Amino acid sequence: MAARVVKVVRPAPTTKQWLPILIGLGVASAHFFRNLFGFIRGRQDFTVNFPEQRFVQPPAMRGMPVLVQMANGKERCVACGLCEWACPTSCITIFPAETAAEVERFPEVFDIDMARCMFCGLCEEACPEEAIVMSRQVEISSYSRRGSLWRKQDLLVPEAELKPRLDYLRAQYARK
Amino acid sequence: MPESNPPAPAPPTPPTPEPSKLMAAILERVGALVEQWHAEHGDDRIHVARENIVAVCRLLRDSPELAFDMCLDVTAVDYLGNPDGFITPSQVWDENRAAWRHLPQSRHRLVQPPRGPSPRFAVVYHLLSTSHLHRIRIKSRVPEDDPTIDTVSSLWPGANWLERETWDMYGIRFNGHPDLRRIYLYEEFVGHPLRKDYDKQHEQPIQEYVGPGAKEPRRPQVEYAGPERKNTQRPD
Amino acid sequence: MPDRNAKTLNDPIDSAMRPRAEASPSQLDPGLDAPPMRLQFGPSHPATHGTVRIVLDLDGEQIVDADVQIGYLHRGFEKECETGYYYQNIPYTDRLNYSSAILCNTAYCMTVEKLLGITTPERCDFIRVIGGELSRMADHMLCVGSSAMELAAFTPFLYLLEARELVLDQIDALCGARITTNAIRIGGVISDLPAGFREFATAKLDRAAKLIDDAHKILTDNIVFRRRMEGTGYISPQDLIAHGVTGPMLRAGGVALDLRRTQPYLVYPQLDFDIPIGEHSDNFDRYLVRLEEIRQSRRMVLQCLEKIPAGPVNVDDPRIRWPGKNHVFGRMEELIDQFKLVTEGGLFPPGEVYFALEATNGEFGFYLVSDGTGKPYKCRLRSPSFSNLSPLGRALIGRQLADVVPSFGMTNMIGGECDR
Ligand code: SF4
Ligand code: SF4
């Protein structure tokens, strides 16, 4: 159970110089025919035809951060500002406000500048309300810089759609 | 274990009771040139006056029982206004949670404390011995008005680039360096960005192109104010 | 500026350049009264994988002088770190060696842990080793594959990239991102291993191993590849040490310096693995060492998956690791902890600390100076690529122009890490 130091073996140069080339050709042909027959048989091996087919993403996948929308159409966020504080790139902007409703604090403005966001997930980790989570959405390109600024209304996603991520989060960040 | 100010000749009194085996060997070889030594978090460290840095490094490299044959890193620390480093008893942290510090309000503004009396910079060397596998850190204080120190690139050629980087980032000149150009930034860069008084958001002046064809007028600079950034202003 | 203009009439690009090499009569045809030709190799050369500019003075095909210029990817990592909290800098470390981000995360977090004087639970250490070795595999695959591609061997590049994708799939399952992992936390890891990770990883690693073997079969004996790799890029072991070169490049020179063995950290003492070393100190040995390290890393991951104990993955200390969300939602103390840790960054003892681990390219160390607040006063990266690249210019002098490509490729200079 320890590390051993070994010398790498440098294979002696072969006198039959055509042999390695034939071997290489054989390896490449094997790959070629395997892929060809796999393609004919419809094997889904490595690449996917992107817009029609999608990757199966693992549950841990971190896409762009979105806000959880509760059943009553409101956001769950209470504008505590922790995500804004934790964000290394300072891409979240929150202006809090208050209402007379049951949850009295809410963000009047909740913007994320997606041009600066790096999908690090610290906002999600900091949020004490499970209100901002990393979705699976990654296709967020836009033509202008203005388009990369996501407002609160754009960011809200119904809770039901985020259920897998929320379940994953509860397991991921749970402690004894 | 507060460090004393380097201007006052600091007696080489060991602040910790027992030097490690390596430190004992070092003190035996170069003890006369060592101003202070510390063992902090398991890292051995010696403080050397900047006049002696090459002599100490040569002894450390050439003594067979030390044999520091690899210069891992050369860098500097800018102790602007914090003259003696941050050697306060670290038990504070263990004992009470009441010691949470108050932080500056703005994350992107550095607090600029007043300048202290002792040298502003410390050049830091990390050495490794590939045969004995021990490490040492050497610190040498360099004042702000004369930020120069002798080069060790004659001892370890690897220090050449590292010293160029330290010059680039901190503006510390290395006497006798064969090729002291900036390494990351361009020659026309104004200032040295890792100094604590260089603001992170500081913008550099635009440099004119000086190559062939420079006489032709440059493409006029388009004034671009940027998109309206609502998210940086509070609505009234 | 006019005087500079005059001086650099033939040398238009910038003033940061060394003066041209003297045309020495022994190297140049005396009848051909011309200075050496100055060739700009890079910053974005199709035959280099890395943003570096090598200014070559050529006498025909022979290199008379070489000046390696870096800094094209300088983003001010160290300045940025000084203004962020310790936990906020972890995502920035992803961008250092972006082909093995978990190792960078681990190095940073372990440095902070050394500053704090804490040890992490064993399961956490195992997960760090698994993630780190997977990253190392991915990085070596990219290095070997793209170096082969630069020598016009395109097929093995595709195999190695496919193998790398299989490795990245595991990293993705581990932490939710393929490249910018942000996987390690101070005093823990982002999440425990996902369910069924062992079977998943074993299957993927087996497929990757086959692809590695295929690439090995195509490359290692191939006469073109060998002739371009063997004997080129030689740097003597003494020079390697004096230049501070570490990692596979040093080990290919026969110096068995590997921090996993010499200064064991995490769970490496419990693992059984080989450290390959070369003896010729040329590019071919570097290639062989890297290829062997991929295999050894696979062995290590498999052993870790066998041995990983059950238990917590985070230190149980409310001053360091953020509290569990299940408690944050329900309890007052944890909610306060969460607010304190996020807004103040944590509580760190003043002092300074250096810690290094064996990353893909060698000793990857952080030197932190703490003033007792939640932000590092100074965060210095000891980057292996930087030191590994520094002897390259000298090693190229007197060699052929065609040697630049394999020598640079096998240095595996990663711009993000080298230029900080
Ligand atoms: S994912 Fe990271 S960068 Fe993006 S908003 Fe959240 S904290 Fe900021
Ligand atoms: S941390 Fe959560 S609750 Fe607080 S402002 Fe951000 S999203 Fe809203």
Side-chain angles (χ1 to χ4, degrees):
Chain A
M1 286 303 126
R4 286 179 307 135
V5 177
V6 290
K7 271 224 169 83
V8 287
V9 277
R10 171 181 288 218
T14 154
T15 44
K16 303 185 194 108
Q17 289 179 0
W18 45 270
L19 189 62
I21 293 174
L22 274 193
I23 293 173
L25 211 55
V27 171
S29 315
H31 272 264
F32 173 72
F33 285 113
R34 206 171 330 126
N35 289 340
L36 182 67
F37 293 126
F39 176 70
I40 291 171
R41 286 203 224 103
R43 182 182 61 155
Q44 230 352 288
D45 200 31
F46 216 77
T47 48
V48 293
N49 299 326
F50 168 58
E52 291 85 29
Q53 299 166 337
R54 298 290 168 135
F55 264 121
V56 186
Q57 302 285 11
M61 151 99 191
R62 295 198 306 257
M64 90 178 218
V66 294
L67 291 175
V68 180
Q69 188 177 30
M70 295 188 294
N72 62 3
K74 290 257 182 261
E75 62 281 341
R76 196 187 263 172
C77 170
V78 295
C80 69
L82 276 197
C83 53
E84 189 184 16
W85 197 275
C87 176
T89 58
S90 310
C91 61
I92 306 180
T93 309
I94 300 168
F95 303 152
E98 298 199 354
T99 61
E102 189 199 348
V103 182
E104 64 264 27
R105 261 172 79 88
F106 74 101
E108 191 178 12
V109 172
F110 195 112
D111 293 348
I112 302 186
D113 186 351
M114 285 298 167
R116 297 170 76 174
C117 176
M118 56 177 169
F119 297 5
C120 65
L122 283 181
C123 48
E124 175 194 69
E125 209 171 327
C127 179
E129 287 289 328
E130 225 174 42
I132 186 166
V133 297
M134 311 303 281
S135 64
R136 310 199 140 216
Q137 173 83 311
V138 286
E139 292 139 31
I140 53 169
S141 51
S142 64
Y143 285 107
S144 65
R145 284 194 231 171
R146 189 67 81 87
S148 68
L149 187 66
W150 287 56
R151 310 271 175 188
K152 186 172 86 178
Q153 283 312 315
D154 316 326
L155 287 168
L156 283 175
V157 175
E159 191 172 354
E161 277 177 38
L162 294 170
K163 187 144 189 330
R165 181 70 191 178
L166 289 172
D167 290 345
Y168 173 77
L169 276 186
R170 286 191 190 125
Q172 180 188 358
Y173 291 127
R175 308 258 203 289
K176 270 212 285 301
Chain B
M1 51 195 101
E3 276 176 64
S4 55
N5 291 351
T13 39
T16 43
E18 264 305 300
S20 64
K21 223 169 107 217
L22 166 68
M23 188 58 85
I26 289 175
L27 289 180
E28 191 198 319
R29 306 290 305 189
V30 292
L33 301 175
V34 172
E35 286 183 341
Q36 305 165 22
W37 62 270
H38 297 276
E40 194 184 335
H41 301 293
D43 297 349
D44 288 319
R45 177 174 101 218
I46 56 177
H47 288 227
V48 172
R50 64 171 168 157
E51 299 79 41
N52 298 332
I53 187 77
V54 176
V56 169
C57 285
R58 176 164 292 132
L59 280 172
L60 290 182
R61 186 190 68 165
D62 293 342
S63 331
E65 69 269 33
L66 299 176
F68 286 102
D69 48 4
M70 192 184 271
C71 179
L72 287 174
D73 199 8
V74 179
T75 185
V77 187
D78 181 358
Y79 289 111
L80 181 64
N82 299 290
D84 296 321
F86 309 102
I87 316 296
T88 51
S90 51
Q91 295 90 303
V92 183
W93 123 270
D94 273 335
E95 279 163 12
N96 56 4
R97 288 182 70 181
W100 293 97
R101 297 297 180 96
H102 288 292
L103 290 160
Q105 312 87 329
S106 159
R107 299 227 312 260
H108 292 305
R109 202 181 330 125
L110 289 170
V111 188
Q112 299 291 350
R115 281 168 166 68
S118 49
R120 173 173 167 187
F121 299 105
V123 182
V124 184
Y125 302 80
H126 286 94
L127 307 182
L128 167 76
S129 161
T130 50
S131 43
H132 304 298
L133 302 171
H134 49 223
R135 289 156 190 277
I136 185 76
R137 179 184 315 142
I138 307 177
K139 278 179 101 169
S140 185
R141 298 303 286 254
V142 171
E144 184 179 3
D145 45 11
D146 176 29
T148 57
I149 192 168
D150 293 338
T151 177
V152 295
S153 58
S154 50
L155 303 177
W156 299 284
N160 184 323
W161 275 27
L162 293 162
E163 289 181 344
R164 276 175 68 188
E165 194 203 344
T166 311
W167 153 244
D168 194 356
M169 293 291 142
Y170 284 94
I172 293 172
R173 286 204 160 269
F174 290 86
N175 300 329
H177 190 284
D179 185 20
L180 197 65
R181 288 174 293 161
R182 285 190 181 258
I183 192 160
Y184 286 148
L185 305 170
Y186 45 99
E187 284 298 309
E188 296 84 4
F189 192 93
V190 182
H192 298 280
L194 276 184
R195 290 187 171 193
K196 287 281 175 187
D197 50 8
Y198 187 95
D199 190 62
K200 197 179 98 173
Q201 306 290 7
H202 182 69
E203 281 186 18
Q204 287 287 321
I206 293 175
Q207 294 297 328
E208 288 297 316
Y209 172 60
V210 292
K215 276 151 227 102
E216 288 131 47
R218 300 187 67 212
R219 197 161 51 91
Q221 282 258 276
V222 183
E223 208 43 51
Y224 180 63
E228 188 195 352
R229 289 288 302 281
K230 280 245 178 61
N231 59 343
T232 56
Q233 301 153 8
R234 305 249 158 198
D236 296 315
Chain C
M1 288 178 208
D3 54 331
R4 185 196 298 140
N5 223 350
K7 200 183 85 202
T8 58
L9 206 57
N10 303 321
D11 183 9
I13 303 300
D14 70 2
S15 60
M17 205 98 70
R18 286 213 285 244
R20 256 173 219 234
E22 290 295 315
S24 70
S26 59
Q27 283 164 330
L28 286 175
D29 181 352
L32 201 65
D33 186 19
M37 184 176 84
R38 177 154 276 186
L39 185 76
Q40 307 278 342
F41 194 87
S44 294
H45 195 274
T48 59
H49 58 276
T51 324
V52 71
R53 169 180 174 198
I54 308 178
V55 182
L56 298 165
D57 284 348
L58 292 179
D59 171 16
E61 282 285 313
Q62 203 179 20
I63 296 166
V64 185
D65 193 7
D67 182 16
V68 181
Q69 297 187 356
I70 58 171
Y72 291 91
L73 225 53
H74 180 65
R75 298 140 301 163
F77 166 77
E78 295 173 15
K79 191 79 181 173
E80 196 70 45
C81 281
E82 288 172 10
T83 50
Y85 296 120
Y86 282 94
Y87 70 85
Q88 284 181 326
N89 297 337
I90 302 172
Y92 293 144
T93 58
D94 295 340
R95 276 91 182 154
L96 292 174
N97 189 337
Y98 36 73
S99 23
S100 54
I102 295 189
L103 284 166
C104 310
N105 297 161
T106 314
Y108 177 76
C109 291
M110 288 184 73
T111 315
V112 180
E113 283 157 14
K114 187 174 171 187
L115 177 70
L116 293 166
I118 56 171
T119 50
T120 40
E122 199 170 16
R123 188 173 174 87
C124 165
D125 292 354
F126 269 98
I127 296 176
R128 286 179 180 187
V129 172
I130 292 172
E133 292 304 324
L134 288 175
S135 298
R136 193 187 309 273
M137 289 173 78
D139 193 330
H140 282 334
M141 285 164 186
L142 188 65
C143 168
V144 172
S146 46
S147 302
M149 181 191 66
E150 287 150 15
L151 302 182
F154 199 76
T155 318
F157 171 66
L158 293 178
Y159 298 165
L160 287 166
L161 234 65
E162 187 176 338
R164 176 167 176 267
E165 286 299 308
L166 293 167
V167 171
L168 291 187
D169 280 347
Q170 300 165 48
I171 293 177
D172 197 7
L174 203 63
C175 63
R178 301 171 87 83
I179 305 289
T180 52
T181 54
N182 192 14
I184 312 292
R185 292 287 182 273
I186 297 160
V189 289
I190 184 171
S191 65
D192 205 343
L193 289 184
F197 184 76
R198 187 166 150 195
E199 294 71 36
F200 176 77
T202 315
K204 295 261 177 187
L205 283 175
D206 285 349
R207 268 183 69 189
K210 288 209 191 76
L211 288 162
I212 299 287
D213 282 346
D214 283 352
H216 165 72
K217 272 185 221 152
I218 291 187
L219 281 178
T220 307
D221 279 333
N222 186 296
I223 191 75
V224 180
F225 187 72
R226 281 193 76 147
R227 288 222 175 134
R228 290 200 66 181
M229 299 292 263
E230 265 177 336
T232 58
Y234 171 78
I235 307 173
S236 72
Q238 292 77 21
D239 268 1
L240 289 173
I241 289 176
H243 276 93
V245 176
T246 45
M249 230 176 131
L250 180 64
R251 291 196 284 276
V255 184
L257 182 73
D258 188 325
L259 300 184
R260 291 173 292 176
R261 185 178 74 99
T262 55
Q263 299 177 7
Y265 54 93
L266 293 178
V267 294
Y268 285 110
Q270 301 178 34
L271 301 179
D272 192 14
F273 61 101
D274 295 348
I275 291 168
I277 62 167
E279 51 186 334
H280 302 279
S281 196
D282 61 355
N283 288 327
F284 197 61
D285 268 3
R286 288 171 204 152
Y287 158 79
L288 290 173
V289 164
R290 281 184 199 273
L291 212 58
E292 185 60 29
E293 281 195 9
I294 298 177
R295 302 202 180 101
Q296 297 302 327
S297 292
R298 172 171 170 266
R299 252 178 89 190
M300 272 183 254
V301 174
L302 293 177
Q303 285 175 42
C304 283
L305 290 171
E306 287 294 325
K307 287 187 181 166
I308 184 165
V313 295
N314 292 298
V315 289
D316 185 16
D317 190 335
R319 293 169 304 184
I320 297 163
R321 188 73 182 102
W322 293 6
K325 280 292 176 67
N326 48 347
H327 300 325
V328 171
F329 298 149
R331 288 198 221 157
M332 199 65 203
E333 289 78 16
E334 267 83 356
L335 188 64
I336 295 174
D337 278 341
Q338 177 87 1
F339 269 80
K340 278 284 195 190
L341 284 169
V342 172
T343 56
E344 295 180 356
L347 185 56
F348 296 88
E352 51 184 66
V353 64
Y354 177 84
F355 176 82
L357 54 71
E358 185 71 29
T360 335
N361 288 333
E363 168 154 346
F364 192 94
F366 277 99
Y367 168 57
L368 289 176
V369 179
S370 158
D371 58 353
T373 58
K375 298 174 182 176
Y377 188 78
K378 174 171 175 64
C379 173
R380 161 78 182 175
L381 164 70
R382 192 270 162 194
S383 110
S385 285
F386 184 89
S387 295
N388 290 3
L389 201 60
S390 68
L392 183 70
R394 256 183 59 187
L396 288 177
I397 293 175
R399 304 295 169 132
Q400 304 295 307
L401 175 60
D403 293 350
V404 177
V405 176
S407 305
F408 179 74
M410 276 297 136
T411 311
N412 193 18
M413 178 264 199
I414 304 280
E417 173 191 274
C418 179
D419 296 348
R420 288 176 260 239

